[in-house]
Amino acid sequence: MVATSSLATYSHRQYTSENSSALYVVNVERNGKIIYTWKGNQRDTHIGLYDLQTKENEHLYMFERDLRIISCTVNSERTLLAVSFRQYTEEERVSQLLQSVSKYLTLLIEIHPVNNVRVLKAVDSCVRVQFLYPVEGRNTSTESRLLLVSEDKYIEQFDICVVVEEEHKVVIQNSGQLPRARVADDLIWAQWDMTEQRLFYVVPKESRCTLKCVQFYPDENFNSILESHLDISVNDTRVKLVNFGYDDCQDQDVTSKSLNLQVFTSKAGGLCVCCSLASDIPDEITYSIYFLHKGYSKTFTVSLERTESHQLKEVAFLNLDYYVAAYLPGQFLHLLNIQHPDLLCYSLFLTGEDARIDTLQNCSIRSPLMSTVLDGCVGRMYAVSISDSALLQFLQKSKRDSERLAALHCALLCVRSTADLETKIIWWISENLSTCHSFDPIQEFIIASLYSRMCSETHNLDKLLPYTSLLDWIGVIPGVVCTTDIISLPVLEFQNSKGFWEKLNSNLESVKYAEPHLHYHSNVLRREWRTLSEEQKEERRTTTYLRNIFENAKKVLSHLDTWDSEERLVPLFQEEDHQQQLLMGLMVAQLKDHLMRHLQYVGKKKIDQIVLDYVANLLNLVHRIMKEVWKRYRLHSCVFCFEERGSAAEFAVFHIMSRILEATNGMCMPLPPGFHTLHLGLGVRCLPLHTLLHYIDNGVLHLTETCVRKLLKDLDDTEKNEKLKFSIVTRLPEALGQKVRQLWNHPINANFIARKYVKLLLERLGSRQCSRPISERLPVPVEFLPLNYLTNMLAEIENQGVHPYEKQDHVNVRFVEEAALKHTMMLLGLKYS
């Protein structure tokens, strides 16, 4: 079933065809199989096993009496069953004179086939049981290990050896006492992680608590691997157990002093402790998240919208891997980003209908496995995930920047967005460029998408690549007060451990060495731009350096060509852009140096590939934005026809391209070759002349050879077009101007070229004087002494080997002389022959 008004999607798992009203879940094993119980017609008690993979139910055992089962577990071979149950209530013992009979009984039962029953514990304190599971794929073992957790604040491990007799009957080998080992003592809280076979537990220590973790290994050993001090005050010393069976009555028996605590881990090495004490204050609740892998905690105090005196106020914590969810039915759903919890704008705080999950309105809910929720009141378990459609709806209707940014990051980093979702996000961005005031949605889309695509490739890459363009966030969540406290880092003790512990240790090392400074920043690239400008004075060194830089850019573009063999809808990547290629090459060099410093164990070849992928993905994302915008506004190649004015759709695309340029400039990111040409072409079509020139003068529009050549060739010389052409020609950089000015055969252009030529010659002359007269340059001497003197001086400079326009032989003193006479005759209204 889908919760239509929430970001969370829940699918219900049905375990049996029996009467579901009498069914409830008592345990979830490592392999995902679910142990449940129900009452038969004769009030006998049945135990069943549901396999999530095969969708099949298996009957394990039956008690011929009505029992209240507290805890139950089956070994991986399904040959042994351990059950803990309450025999009688205290009132029943007194009324039936059964004071000598223990209140709780723990049994070990042979079930392959059903055979002997052995009593493990017969005590007045509650006991929980849990079989350890070996690694998947391991051959059937003749030994099982069982954890026994007592309300008397200790945990011990039983070693159980079995033998196979005739007819494949499996029986316990040792008829005497089973070997046992003490695992933990003096605990007040414990949680079992069935997936990774870890035991977390808390022991009080003076005014604080100490969290410890015991890791169980396939070789039948275990050791204490973690210790962390938590500033949590505990008033109730009763033992609280998590994931050691699901006793619905115990879950409902919550007092104002009970400890509500859970530990969650993530695949990326995140370790969070979630804690909440049920509050006596009717209109607020407080909960804390200890991000042990980051070295700080955040405490949230929430003002509740509406409360009822009989309503139980206990926050349920859910593990969604990338997020930890704090959920209070009927009040709020808070999704906290585990990987980047520093800024609140990456966490979603939902209230009202957005936080309502119809199928989970009870407070007795747990998260036994990652992305699963167990409702103890009704005995059902649900798979939970974040709905991309609901997330998109929330993004579209959100009014606050913090909500938009959190939803955007959630969609790109957590949901693993599909092409369809990315398209809709791009459409949303194109419509909301002016509504996001505290962040640039284009920057966040590009950076978050790059982070998501790249960080799954290599361990620790997530600590080195940027995940946001923001340095800080000063916004607040209405109705929520948040305080941040620095906490001591946990102490790890392990050797050659892989997986989670290795990643957690890497996260802790990053915190010790100031993690924010490990991320790649664009200011490094900006400094390189300045350095390159200075090195251009040293021609020899700069030439070698530039050759390497442009070689990097060629590799990026060649790498990108192998990805997209389809015909490109947007006219990009169709020309060379030396400025953007220089920036590409610089980014490759800078990013490679950054990764080499911190990923030395990866190897140069792998780092080269990562860097090429990163820069190529960046260019591809810009092209992706352009392609979706192009398709949405139904543009085609007519944007390069300058004879007509642009449409409203073209103006909208021009505006979006201007924002893309602003976003990439802000992060010092390269653009696909051809972007500036396309941008300028749309600007010429859509903007009035004074606005167009203003954009050019302020660096919004860049004059490119491709666009200027087409403009000078295609436009005729009407008065309006002459003004446009002259305005463009006078703004061309010198190197580009020498290439394209001769394309416009017009007196205005000739006059401008002549003036430019004279200016350059005189600048080259410096303080040198003419030493001898020069013969006239024209066949017929011109009796105009100022012009004669100027041409003689220019000719002498040319004879000294100074020629600014070496590639344009027709631009010389003769050209200047003719242009001057033509211009003078035109001003006098005379005809030049």
Side-chain angles (χ1 to χ4, degrees):
M1 60 187 69
V2 177
T4 57
S5 58
S6 171
L7 297 187
T9 300
Y10 294 85
S11 57
H12 171 225
R13 309 288 193 185
Q14 184 67 46
Y15 310 121
T16 180
S17 59
E18 301 286 342
N19 182 5
S20 62
S21 62
L23 178 151
Y24 68 93
V25 176
V26 291
N27 201 5
V28 181
E29 300 291 4
R30 181 184 189 181
N31 52 18
K33 294 183 179 180
I34 300 163
I35 299 177
Y36 57 93
T37 69
W38 74 95
K39 308 299 180 182
N41 295 330
Q42 306 299 321
R43 300 307 296 168
D44 42 12
T45 303
H46 297 260
I47 299 175
L49 185 70
Y50 177 76
D51 191 325
L52 290 174
Q53 302 299 323
T54 64
K55 313 297 182 185
E56 294 179 352
N57 293 280
E58 178 182 351
H59 187 274
L60 296 180
Y61 195 75
M62 181 189 72
F63 290 97
E64 295 180 349
R65 54 178 290 198
D66 187 356
L67 289 180
R68 167 70 191 292
I69 293 180
I70 296 171
S71 179
C72 185
T73 180
V74 65
N75 64 351
S76 60
E77 293 81 14
R78 301 200 304 282
T79 58
L80 297 175
L81 183 71
V83 183
S84 176
F85 56 87
R86 185 167 61 186
Q87 297 195 84
Y88 305 98
T89 65
E90 192 64 34
E91 294 76 9
E92 289 173 338
R93 286 211 301 175
V94 173
S95 63
Q96 299 180 29
L97 302 177
L98 298 173
Q99 284 84 352
S100 61
V101 178
S102 59
K103 184 177 178 181
Y104 295 94
L105 196 63
T106 303
L107 304 179
L108 181 62
I109 308 171
E110 298 169 356
I111 60 172
H112 190 77
V114 174
N115 193 18
N116 300 320
V117 177
R118 176 175 293 199
V119 177
L120 291 180
K121 289 284 183 180
V123 293
D124 288 340
S125 56
C126 185
V127 173
R128 304 295 178 107
V129 287
Q130 177 62 56
F131 273 109
L132 300 181
Y133 272 57
V135 292
E136 294 183 8
R138 184 180 178 183
N139 294 332
T140 301
S141 174
T142 59
E143 184 174 350
S144 295
R145 292 177 294 157
L146 176 70
L147 291 182
L148 188 145
V149 187
S150 172
E151 272 188 349
D152 293 332
K153 302 182 179 181
Y154 69 86
I155 300 176
E156 55 187 2
Q157 174 185 298
F158 287 85
D159 294 331
I160 309 165
C161 293
V162 298
V163 293
V164 180
E165 297 182 345
E166 68 275 3
E167 299 180 0
H168 304 289
K169 181 187 295 185
V170 178
V171 297
I172 300 174
Q173 182 179 23
N174 192 342
S175 60
Q177 282 195 342
L178 299 174
R180 69 183 72 184
R182 190 62 64 104
V183 177
D185 281 301
D186 301 323
L187 57 93
I188 60 171
W189 175 92
Q191 175 181 316
W192 177 242
D193 182 344
M194 69 284 291
T195 304
E196 301 298 332
Q197 300 287 280
R198 291 190 286 251
L199 171 69
F200 293 98
Y201 66 98
V202 170
V203 294
K205 191 173 182 180
E206 297 177 353
S207 61
R208 299 195 300 175
C209 293
T210 299
L211 173 71
K212 297 184 178 184
C213 180
V214 173
Q215 178 70 63
F216 294 88
Y217 298 101
D219 61 2
E220 302 177 2
N221 290 326
F222 65 87
N223 67 286
S224 181
I225 202 169
L226 173 141
E227 185 171 314
S228 179
H229 299 294
L230 303 176
D231 188 15
I232 299 176
S233 59
V234 180
N235 298 318
D236 186 5
T237 59
R238 293 183 303 172
V239 176
K240 180 72 177 291
L241 302 176
V242 179
N243 294 344
F244 282 103
Y246 304 99
D247 184 357
D248 57 339
C249 289
Q250 187 214 36
D251 289 339
Q252 295 172 20
D253 183 22
V254 179
T255 67
S256 60
K257 303 298 182 182
S258 64
L259 178 63
N260 178 22
L261 188 145
Q262 275 192 272
V263 175
F264 292 136
T265 60
S266 70
K267 297 175 184 176
L271 177 60
C272 298
V273 177
C274 307
C275 178
S276 170
L277 288 175
S279 175
D280 293 327
I281 304 176
D283 58 350
E284 74 175 29
I285 195 165
T286 301
Y287 54 95
S288 299
I289 312 294
Y290 293 79
F291 300 100
L292 298 185
H293 59 292
K294 294 292 186 180
Y296 56 82
S297 67
K298 289 184 179 293
T299 300
F300 301 91
T301 301
V302 182
S303 299
L304 303 181
E305 296 180 356
R306 56 192 180 278
T307 58
E308 299 177 10
S309 58
H310 65 276
Q311 186 178 26
L312 185 63
K313 294 183 302 178
E314 184 184 47
V315 176
F317 298 108
L318 314 177
N319 185 3
L320 303 180
D321 186 36
Y322 206 86
Y323 290 90
V324 164
Y327 178 50
L328 185 61
Q331 293 292 339
F332 63 83
L333 175 64
H334 194 179
L335 297 176
L336 292 125
N337 192 311
I338 295 178
Q339 202 160 350
H340 305 294
D342 47 340
L343 302 182
L344 288 180
C345 55
Y346 299 121
S347 298
L348 275 168
F349 188 84
L350 308 174
T351 58
E353 288 302 312
D354 292 322
R356 180 178 174 81
I357 305 175
D358 294 333
T359 54
L360 292 177
Q361 290 302 304
N362 300 306
C363 288
S364 181
I365 57 178
R366 295 284 183 266
S367 184
L369 296 168
M370 189 177 295
S371 300
T372 60
V373 175
L374 172 68
D375 190 335
C377 290
V378 297
R380 291 179 180 176
M381 194 164 75
Y382 304 87
V384 57
S385 62
I386 296 177
S387 167
D388 54 353
S389 59
L391 188 64
L392 184 63
Q393 291 176 8
F394 181 79
L395 175 65
Q396 292 169 341
K397 73 177 184 179
S398 295
K399 302 300 181 183
R400 290 194 290 265
D401 277 3
S402 60
E403 294 176 344
R404 293 168 176 156
L405 187 55
L408 183 61
H409 268 253
C410 183
L412 296 173
L413 296 176
C414 177
V415 175
R416 301 296 181 186
S417 55
T418 61
D420 182 61
L421 181 60
E422 272 192 0
T423 298
K424 292 176 181 177
I425 291 175
I426 292 172
W427 289 2
W428 175 84
I429 290 174
S430 66
E431 294 171 351
N432 291 271
L433 289 171
S434 301
T435 61
C436 299
H437 305 292
S438 53
F439 74 99
D440 188 320
I442 296 177
Q443 286 184 350
E444 290 301 309
F445 174 80
I446 294 175
I447 295 175
S449 298
L450 281 173
Y451 188 86
S452 175
R453 295 181 183 186
M454 299 300 301
C455 289
S456 59
E457 294 185 4
T458 304
H459 178 47
N460 283 336
L461 200 57
D462 59 322
K463 303 176 186 62
L464 303 176
L465 296 179
Y467 64 90
T468 179
S469 63
L470 301 178
L471 298 178
D472 54 23
W473 181 269
I474 58 175
V476 297
I477 303 174
V480 180
V481 177
C482 175
T483 58
T484 303
D485 297 297
I486 303 298
I487 60 176
S488 59
L489 295 176
V491 177
L492 296 181
E493 296 181 4
F494 67 90
Q495 293 181 348
N496 302 323
S497 183
K498 300 296 183 180
F500 171 78
W501 296 115
E502 182 184 26
K503 293 178 181 179
L504 174 60
N505 186 62
S506 176
N507 288 334
L508 296 178
E509 290 297 317
S510 298
V511 174
K512 293 176 184 177
Y513 295 106
E515 180 184 13
H517 300 292
L518 296 177
H519 289 282
Y520 172 78
H521 291 285
S522 60
N523 54 6
V524 178
L525 190 57
R526 293 185 194 279
R527 286 199 299 267
E528 185 63 20
W529 269 104
R530 300 190 191 101
T531 303
L532 183 61
S533 299
E534 294 174 359
E535 286 184 349
Q536 285 178 343
K537 300 175 183 178
E538 304 175 18
E539 184 175 350
R540 182 177 177 182
R541 179 182 175 189
T542 304
T543 302
T544 304
Y545 183 66
L546 284 177
R547 189 181 301 117
N548 293 332
I549 293 299
F550 282 112
E551 188 63 31
N552 290 338
K554 289 181 181 179
K555 291 179 181 178
V556 171
L557 295 174
S558 176
H559 189 53
L560 192 59
D561 287 339
T562 63
W563 292 358
D564 189 4
S565 58
E566 298 179 4
E567 183 179 356
R568 299 184 187 274
L569 178 65
V570 186
L572 297 176
F573 301 100
Q574 297 178 2
E575 63 183 85
E576 288 192 358
D577 188 331
H578 291 283
Q579 183 184 9
Q580 293 306 309
Q581 289 179 1
L582 180 61
L583 188 53
M584 284 178 221
L586 281 173
M587 175 173 273
V588 169
Q590 285 291 319
L591 187 55
K592 186 185 300 182
D593 290 344
H594 178 72
L595 297 184
M596 286 292 289
R597 284 194 297 271
H598 302 286
L599 294 178
Q600 298 177 2
Y601 59 89
V602 172
K604 183 179 182 299
K605 186 176 181 180
K606 177 65 175 177
I607 288 179
D608 288 345
Q609 186 64 42
I610 291 173
V611 171
L612 288 178
D613 285 347
Y614 187 86
V615 181
N617 267 303
L618 191 159
L619 297 174
N620 198 43
L621 281 168
V622 176
H623 177 257
R624 175 73 193 280
I625 297 173
M626 288 295 302
K627 182 174 71 172
E628 296 302 333
V629 170
W630 212 259
K631 286 164 58 178
R632 187 173 194 191
Y633 288 97
R634 300 178 181 177
L635 298 192
H636 45 84
S637 58
C638 71
V639 293
F640 281 113
C641 176
F642 298 119
E643 297 177 355
E644 300 177 359
R645 298 303 298 168
S647 63
E650 290 177 23
F651 184 81
V653 173
F654 172 80
H655 175 66
I656 294 172
M657 291 189 70
S658 299
R659 292 300 300 267
I660 293 174
L661 180 64
E662 180 183 353
T664 53
N665 284 345
M667 297 297 293
C668 203
M669 291 178 171
L671 289 163
F675 181 93
H676 288 304
T677 295
L678 184 59
H679 193 206
L680 178 62
L682 286 171
V684 172
R685 285 175 59 88
C686 298
L687 300 177
L689 181 59
H690 67 280
T691 306
L692 175 70
L693 300 180
H694 178 72
Y695 275 38
I696 295 173
D697 294 339
N698 285 276
V700 178
L701 291 173
H702 296 249
L703 297 174
T704 66
E705 181 178 350
T706 302
C707 190
V708 173
R709 279 181 177 274
K710 188 169 183 60
L711 186 146
L712 294 178
K713 284 182 177 180
D714 292 359
L715 289 181
D716 56 17
D717 289 330
T718 63
E719 182 179 353
K720 181 179 179 181
N721 289 343
E722 283 182 359
K723 191 174 182 180
L724 170 62
K725 288 182 178 181
F726 181 72
S727 300
I728 296 295
V729 165
T730 56
R731 286 168 169 80
L732 290 175
E734 185 56 38
L736 178 58
Q738 291 187 26
K739 292 182 179 180
V740 301
R741 284 193 187 107
Q742 70 273 16
L743 297 176
W744 186 26
N745 185 19
H746 192 276
I748 294 178
N749 189 42
N751 183 42
F752 177 78
I753 294 174
R755 289 171 181 268
K756 194 77 174 177
Y757 183 77
V758 172
K759 179 183 178 183
L760 291 173
L761 279 179
L762 294 177
E763 287 176 350
R764 301 281 180 92
L765 174 64
S767 59
R768 287 177 292 180
Q769 300 289 332
C770 293
S771 58
R772 58 187 178 85
I774 302 296
S775 59
E776 291 82 359
R777 306 291 296 180
L778 293 176
V780 179
V782 179
E783 298 299 330
F784 185 51
L785 294 180
L787 181 59
N788 287 343
Y789 180 80
L790 176 63
T791 55
N792 289 340
M793 183 174 62
L794 296 179
E796 182 179 356
I797 298 172
E798 279 188 349
N799 289 339
Q800 294 176 7
V802 179
H803 199 297
Y805 290 178
E806 293 181 356
K807 296 182 180 180
Q808 300 179 39
D809 295 335
H810 70 285
V811 181
N812 49 29
V813 173
R814 172 73 178 272
F815 177 86
V816 172
E817 193 171 20
E818 287 187 351
L821 290 173
K822 286 180 181 180
H823 186 64
T824 303
M825 299 293 285
M826 183 178 65
L827 293 176
L828 295 175
L830 302 176
K831 185 176 181 181
Y832 177 80
S833 59

